[in-house]
Amino acid sequence: MTEKDFIPGVYPQKVEKGQITYSSPSNIALVKYWGKKENQIPANPSVSFTLEACATTTTVTFYELGSAGSHFSFDLFFEGRPNEDFKPKIQTFFKRITVYLPFLKSYHLKIETANSFPHSSGIASSASGMSALALCLLEIERELNPEMTQEYFTRKASFLARLGSGSACRSIEGDLVQWGAHKETEGSSDLFGIKYPYKVHNVFNSYHDTILLVDKGKKQVSSTIGHGLMHDHPFAAQRFQQAHNNLSKLRSVFEKGDLDTFIEIVESEALTLHAMMMTSQPSFVLMKPNTLEVIQKIRDFREKSGTHVCFTLDAGANVHVLYPENEKEKVYAFVKNELLVYCENQQHICDRIGYGAKKLG
Ligand code: DP6
């Protein structure tokens, strides 16, 4: 498929007004997207677990304007209150997607959005937020063109979400989603995420992700700036190649449930992401002392207990603690007894692998 396949023809239906609600989850990358080309094309492929508890619920109420305007007409409410701060990001999103959703300027939209996780928890809301909004907007298009197939809908939702925030394209479906062209993954594309197309061992069906809020401060560096740092980065070419290789290796890991190799790859991906930021110009150290304490404790406990707990990181100081369902008692007791002291006010979120966005109304 190409971008052109997402440009619609003349809509067969007319819709004057309506209301749509979606809840869309966050996701945690196992192989990380870090670096992009023009038009939100990733520099390397990535794969993630879709989450369940961390989600954004968005309602779009819309009515047709008398005549198509020259600008986007919308109001934005975040957690019940009018919010001007997020408007520029949405405005940019609308500009990018208007060619794919040409009805946008013909409607007034009221966007009401809220997160299940606390605001300023250091948890990125762009993946869940942008995917929820993309789904609501595409649902309007489905009303204008009811013949749209479910497969096309899912792809286009991911395609649109990507234009809001890259990682958002991995939040439409569950449970394991790959985004980015990879020569050994059939159907993979730079334009949208796909459900991982090969066999996945049962152990991964019910994985846990306990998110430790080590630092709830605002991100030191936005991911857009972070991605930009990969241009002219001395290790960029090797890093992009490594992501391709890790995806190749994961195929048999997922198939066999090979947790030892899973841990090696996932932890290396997290540390490489941070290594890229530490070695870019300008450089950023996004881990905090407590991040390192937690990492060390996880590795010691894994060795001592024989469990398969491991960590991954986003572009920040918080730690995602990953572990299989059959080890949850042991690992969660360890988290409670030994890791929560490193969190701000012991705050953490018990999340797990999830099955994608849901239409609520
Ligand atoms: C570290 O998707 O937030 O979470 O496309 O600029 O919105 P933009 O970036 P974003 O980058 C996420 C980077 C990451 C790794 C990942 O999720 O793959």
Side-chain angles (χ1 to χ4, degrees):
M1 284 181 99
T2 71
E3 277 99 337
K4 288 207 177 76
D5 295 312
F6 295 109
I7 300 178
V10 178
Y11 296 127
Q13 296 290 333
K14 259 190 84 63
V15 178
E16 274 172 24
K17 58 180 181 165
Q19 187 177 68
I20 288 151
T21 302
Y22 264 94
S23 165
S24 191
S26 184
N27 66 73
I28 180 68
L30 305 169
V31 172
K32 308 285 179 183
Y33 149 56
W34 199 245
K36 61 177 160 181
K37 306 176 203 165
E38 246 187 292
N39 299 327
Q40 294 284 102
I41 296 299
N44 65 262
S46 57
V47 69
S48 53
F49 278 152
T50 308
L51 295 178
E52 174 76 27
C54 289
T56 299
T57 300
T58 298
T59 297
V60 175
T61 311
F62 57 96
Y63 63 82
E64 200 175 14
L65 297 165
S67 57
S70 55
H71 65 286
F72 302 106
S73 170
F74 68 101
D75 298 317
L76 182 68
F77 294 81
F78 178 64
E79 304 193 332
R81 296 209 183 90
N83 185 304
E84 292 298 313
D85 297 352
F86 297 161
K87 275 186 128 177
K89 201 162 180 196
I90 300 213
Q91 180 81 21
T92 307
F93 179 47
F94 284 171
K95 270 196 207 142
R96 283 186 191 156
I97 62 172
T98 188
V99 51
Y100 307 108
L101 296 179
F103 66 84
L104 272 181
K105 283 187 181 152
S106 308
Y107 287 87
H108 176 77
L109 310 174
K110 178 180 175 197
I111 305 166
E112 294 166 282
T113 185
N115 296 332
S116 64
F117 44 92
H119 188 47
S120 38
S121 56
I123 305 269
S125 58
S126 61
S128 53
M130 285 298 176
S131 54
L133 181 56
L135 282 158
C136 289
L137 298 177
L138 187 58
E139 199 64 54
I140 302 178
E141 179 162 274
R142 179 147 66 181
E143 291 188 12
L144 293 162
N145 175 20
E147 258 137 57
M148 191 185 289
T149 65
Q150 186 56 40
E151 186 189 49
Y152 182 86
F153 181 89
T154 307
R155 285 198 177 161
K156 185 162 176 178
S158 177
F159 172 85
L160 295 172
R162 186 194 99 239
L163 295 172
S165 178
S167 55
C169 79
R170 299 186 311 236
S171 277
I172 307 293
E173 293 182 280
D175 40 352
L176 205 51
V177 176
Q178 183 176 323
W179 166 42
H182 176 242
K183 66 177 185 325
E184 289 165 36
T185 313
E186 215 175 306
S188 60
S189 168
D190 282 344
L191 300 181
F192 46 82
I194 57 164
K195 223 170 138 59
Y196 190 72
Y198 302 116
K199 202 173 155 233
V200 178
H201 191 279
N202 279 343
V203 74
F204 296 112
N205 291 344
S206 46
Y207 237 70
H208 289 260
D209 177 5
T210 300
I211 309 165
L212 304 180
L213 306 182
V214 168
D215 177 31
K216 303 199 306 169
K218 200 174 155 5
K219 275 188 171 181
Q220 242 187 73
V221 52
S222 76
S223 36
T224 305
I225 292 175
H227 289 292
L229 296 172
M230 290 305 283
H231 291 298
D232 303 321
H233 192 292
F235 307 132
Q238 294 94 318
R239 160 60 198 150
F240 300 146
Q241 186 54 48
Q242 178 196 38
H244 281 269
N245 298 346
N246 280 341
L247 264 168
S248 303
K249 285 191 210 154
L250 277 174
R251 178 147 172 199
S252 79
V253 167
F254 287 143
E255 185 177 334
K256 296 188 191 127
D258 173 359
L259 294 184
D260 293 331
T261 313
F262 177 78
I263 292 168
E264 263 172 40
I265 293 172
V266 168
E267 292 193 349
S268 161
E269 278 287 324
L271 295 175
T272 302
L273 168 70
H274 281 256
M276 289 300 112
M277 283 179 279
M278 288 188 207
T279 50
S280 57
Q281 208 54 260
S283 59
F284 293 92
V285 180
L286 301 181
M287 290 191 226
K288 297 283 182 203
N290 280 350
T291 313
L292 290 170
E293 293 279 3
V294 167
I295 289 176
Q296 197 51 50
K297 289 260 174 189
I298 289 175
R299 289 186 160 179
D300 291 346
F301 177 76
R302 181 164 72 226
E303 173 98 28
K304 244 185 5 219
S305 64
T307 58
H308 297 89
V309 58
C310 73
F311 67 86
T312 187
L313 308 164
D314 267 341
N318 294 332
V319 182
H320 290 248
V321 186
L322 303 178
Y323 48 98
E325 168 78 13
N326 64 355
E327 297 177 0
K328 76 171 180 218
E329 273 85 23
K330 264 193 190 166
V331 175
Y332 189 63
F334 155 69
V335 168
K336 256 187 15 203
N337 297 334
E338 296 192 44
L339 299 186
L340 294 190
V341 294
Y342 299 107
C343 301
E344 281 196 37
N345 306 320
Q346 309 233 338
Q347 276 191 319
H348 64 292
I349 298 170
C350 290
D351 211 334
R352 56 189 303 156
I353 196 161
Y355 291 85
K358 295 181 198 96
K359 184 166 186 272
L360 302 181

